[in-house]
Amino acid sequence: MKLEKSIKTAFWAGALATSASVAFAADGPPDEVTEWVFQPAFDQTDAGWDNGLIPWVEAVEEATQGTVKIRVEPAGALVSGAEAFSAAAAGQTDGYAGWGSVYGGDMPEGMLAFGMAMGANNTEEAWEVMWGNPDYRVGDIVQEAAHARNLHWAGWTNQGPNAMFTKFRVEKMEDLEGHKMRAGGPQAIFHSTMGGAPVSMNGGEIYTAIKLGTIEGTYWDTGGIDDMSFQEVIDYAIMPGWNPAQHQEIFINLQSWNALTDWQREQIDGIFEETYFETSRMHAEGVEEALQILRDAGGEVIMLSDEEVARMREKSIAEVWPQVAAASKGNAKGVEIYKKFLDDKAAGN
């Protein structure tokens, strides 16, 4: 009996030691280095490269003390930009960055993260409705949808206003009627609702299409217009934008995410908020620079009146938002939360 008791004591002592060792390892960086490959839906020319994805990658590597290293390949290096989201979901790559999950085509709930038509006005409001205020938390809806598609939402940045860049003047929403403009996903919903004719095309085709007169303008993130040299072919930027706070998201393949230690996942989740505000600040600086480049090229920045913005917001909530809500149950729930957010804001809550 004494021998049996001694063996049991030794067994439990060893088990406790092992548990203590595992717990200790979970409290700090592991010995092994995890190497990931990301491919976003864009290349180095997009403002989201230097001002969004790369700062997040650097923050991840620093937060994990070098135990997670990420190599970023431009769109087309591994798969096309349009295939990048599904490649990350399938595990062909470890991660992806892009807009509204390819404007909502691959994941309708991505439109909630991209930003609603005439919804949040700035970075702070977007954070409040998506993550910051427990009364809203639209981000939880997007995260649930991401997990259902074998992805984990791990990064976010406000690229500034997504606006209209045109060959024609726009001072009221009726001025868009009948005009052909490049617009995808939620942009197309907005443009068609305003009476315009949305045209779908790849980003690399827009410049030539405007120059040839095939289209009369495009919807684009304001800070990226000079990256695309749009100031050479358009005459007007219409502000504050149909989506005053357009966002870009970063997703990690769920198997790659789950393969990390608890400590590594906590470190990466821990930088979500700080990288959001820092990269959003970087994008905001790019917006002012891009608008000045347009002015220097002879273009004009048109600021819509407060009355016209209110008209566009009213029409968007009444006619655009229901189309977003119809895309999925998650979208429907998110749209209702967005409405509550705007109602609370109007009431001064």
Side-chain angles (χ1 to χ4, degrees), residues 68-295:
V68 176
K69 294 187 178 296
I70 304 172
R71 188 178 90 245
V72 181
E73 297 287 352
L78 304 174
V79 296
S80 69
E83 297 170 317
F85 180 88
S86 57
Q92 293 174 264
T93 63
D94 297 292
Y96 157 88
W99 308 271
S101 308
V102 193
Y103 293 149
D106 291 318
M107 188 176 83
E109 295 79 7
M111 288 192 282
L112 300 172
F114 180 76
M116 299 293 290
M118 309 307 293
N121 285 316
N122 50 49
T123 296
E124 289 72 24
E125 286 187 4
W127 182 260
E128 181 180 3
V129 70
M130 191 64 62
W131 292 112
N133 190 322
D135 291 339
Y136 310 122
R137 295 282 298 189
V138 175
D140 290 332
I141 298 171
V142 181
Q143 187 68 280
E144 182 179 354
H147 284 179
R149 288 162 178 80
N150 201 39
L151 294 164
H152 179 76
W153 185 16
W156 198 38
T157 184
N158 176 12
Q159 293 191 281
N162 187 287
M164 296 158 269
F165 301 95
T166 68
K167 298 288 290 184
F168 57 95
R169 294 188 69 85
V170 177
E171 294 179 334
K172 58 185 184 300
M173 58 187 176
E174 288 82 3
D175 294 335
L176 292 168
E177 188 170 350
H179 287 286
K180 292 193 296 183
M181 290 182 61
R182 187 269 186 180
Q187 302 164 351
I189 295 173
F190 176 85
H191 191 59
S192 61
T193 301
M194 298 299 155
V199 178
S200 178
M201 66 174 60
N202 292 328
E205 301 172 354
I206 298 173
Y207 179 99
T208 301
I210 297 175
K211 189 172 185 178
L212 294 176
T214 306
I215 56 175
E216 302 168 86
T218 186
Y219 288 79
W220 203 259
D221 61 285
T222 304
I225 57 175
D226 56 317
D227 297 328
M228 303 296 289
S229 299
F230 288 154
Q231 73 275 5
E232 298 175 5
V233 291
I234 58 104
D235 299 315
Y236 304 100
I238 317 303
M239 304 300 287
W242 74 277
N243 179 356
Q246 174 219 294
H247 287 75
Q248 192 177 82
E249 308 86 49
I250 297 171
F251 295 97
I252 300 170
N253 173 270
L254 200 56
Q255 274 71 48
S256 299
W257 174 253
N258 289 335
L260 298 177
T261 67
D262 290 343
W263 178 86
Q264 288 171 314
R265 289 193 294 268
E266 288 172 4
Q267 295 300 106
I268 295 173
D269 276 340
I271 66 163
F272 193 112
E273 181 174 358
E274 64 185 74
T275 56
Y276 170 71
F277 281 100
E278 175 58 19
T279 58
S280 297
R281 181 195 63 76
M282 295 167 67
H283 278 297
E285 293 177 354
V287 167
E288 295 307 317
E289 292 173 7
L291 290 176
Q292 189 56 51
I293 289 171
L294 174 63
R295 294 187 186 98

Side-chain angles (χ1 to χ4, degrees), residues 322-343:
Q323 295 180 65
V324 174
S328 74
K329 290 182 179 179
N331 277 20
K333 182 178 178 181
V335 166
E336 289 306 310
I337 295 174
Y338 259 101
K339 287 180 181 178
K340 181 180 186 304
F341 167 72
L342 289 187
D343 288 343

